[in-house]
């Protein structure tokens, strides 16, 4: 299957054939694991046969860019002794023109966050993914401190540097409500979104 379709010049040709062969709306005839593994093997074979890196073979003639990283500033949840309920408070340097610039901007925010926390004597350590272990009285206080750190680094929150949250909400949900241990309260979905 791979060899004849890959001669068509598209690393995605095998995917179309796999979907046609499976024919089911849920990919259950051949199975998702088999389809993914075969798709990856065919794409890698196509790239190798054209002596191209996989990303270039998949991109074909389209421009390629590297996504901007999301980097943790404050760690919480199970990864940081549940100092805050939310798992990751990260930043994305939206205005960065390169990965290098994104890393530099993020480092400036990280250092500003460290200074703010040191002023408040609220550094409790470093979480397993490199962000600070915060010692805050509420989850909102952690987000507010991150906003101030972005500003302290000289950036506009939401415009130049945005906040990205990994709530790990499934760890907080019990009996239809979210249990925020730090604040000793239980809230419904609407309140969680708010």
């Amino acid at each position: 299957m791979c060899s004849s379709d890959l001669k068509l010049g598209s690393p995605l040709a095998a995917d179309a054939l796999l979907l046609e062969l499976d024919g089911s709306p849920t990919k259950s005839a051949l199975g998702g694991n088999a389809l993914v593994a075969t798709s990856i093997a065919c794409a890698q074979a196509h790239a190798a046969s054209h002596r191209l890196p996989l990303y270039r073979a998949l991109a074909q003639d389209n421009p390629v860019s590297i996504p901007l990283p999301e980097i943790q500033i404050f760690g919480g949840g199970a990864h940081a002794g549940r100092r805050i309920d939310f798992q990751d408070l990260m930043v994305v340097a939206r205005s960065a023109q390169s990965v290098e610039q994104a890393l530099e901007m993020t480092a400036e925010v990280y250092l500003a966050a460290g200074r703010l926390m040191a002023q408040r004597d609220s550094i409790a350590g470093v979480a397993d993914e490199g962000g600070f272990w915060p010692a805050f009285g509420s989850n909102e206080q952690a987000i507010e401190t991150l906003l101030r750190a972005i500003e302290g680094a000289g950036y506009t929150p939401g415009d130049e540097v945005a906040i990205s949250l990994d709530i790990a909400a499934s760890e907080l949900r019990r009996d239809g409500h979210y249990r925020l241990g730090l604040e000793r309260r239980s809230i419904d979905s609407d309140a969680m979104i708010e």
Side-chain angles (χ1 to χ4, degrees):
M1 174 178 62
C2 292
S3 61
S4 65
D5 284 308
L6 293 177
K7 289 179 185 174
L8 297 175
S10 169
L12 303 177
D15 289 347
L17 182 59
L18 287 168
L19 293 175
E20 183 182 327
L21 287 171
D22 181 88
S24 71
T26 60
K27 316 304 176 269
S28 59
L30 295 176
N33 290 339
L35 292 170
V36 169
T38 305
S39 173
I40 291 170
C42 290
Q44 289 174 334
H46 172 79
S49 72
H50 289 85
R51 293 186 172 84
L52 293 171
L54 181 59
Y55 80 90
R56 176 55 59 204
L58 292 173
Q60 298 173 10
D61 294 327
N62 296 311
V64 175
S65 64
I66 297 175
L68 294 174
E70 292 178 283
I71 299 176
Q72 183 190 74
I73 305 299
F74 298 136
H79 295 258
R82 302 206 183 276
R83 294 286 182 148
I84 56 174
D85 294 303
F86 303 156
Q87 182 170 289
D88 295 309
L89 280 71
M90 302 170 284
V91 295
V92 178
R94 297 184 63 212
S95 64
Q97 298 300 306
S98 66
V99 172
E100 292 82 8
Q101 186 181 20
L103 294 174
E104 181 179 316
M105 292 170 72
T106 301
E108 291 168 358
V109 173
Y110 183 85
L111 293 172
R115 287 190 298 273
L116 286 171
M117 293 179 67
Q119 289 170 359
R120 296 181 59 244
D121 194 29
S122 59
I123 296 176
V126 176
D128 66 348
E129 294 177 7
F132 293 107
W133 264 19
F136 293 122
S138 71
N139 297 294
E140 287 87 356
Q141 188 179 35
I143 294 170
E144 289 167 4
T145 301
L146 186 50
L147 284 170
R148 289 198 348 241
I150 293 169
E151 293 169 339
Y155 300 112
T156 305
D159 182 29
E160 295 173 294
V161 177
I163 293 177
S164 172
L165 302 175
D166 180 353
I167 303 297
S170 60
E171 291 188 21
L172 304 175
R173 192 157 172 87
R174 304 281 182 275
D175 302 322
H177 284 80
Y178 295 96
R179 312 278 185 211
L180 302 179
L182 178 62
E183 300 162 22
R184 294 189 176 108
R185 64 183 176 133
S186 177
I187 57 177
D188 64 14
S189 293
D190 290 338
M192 182 66 152
I193 292 167
E194 179 63 29

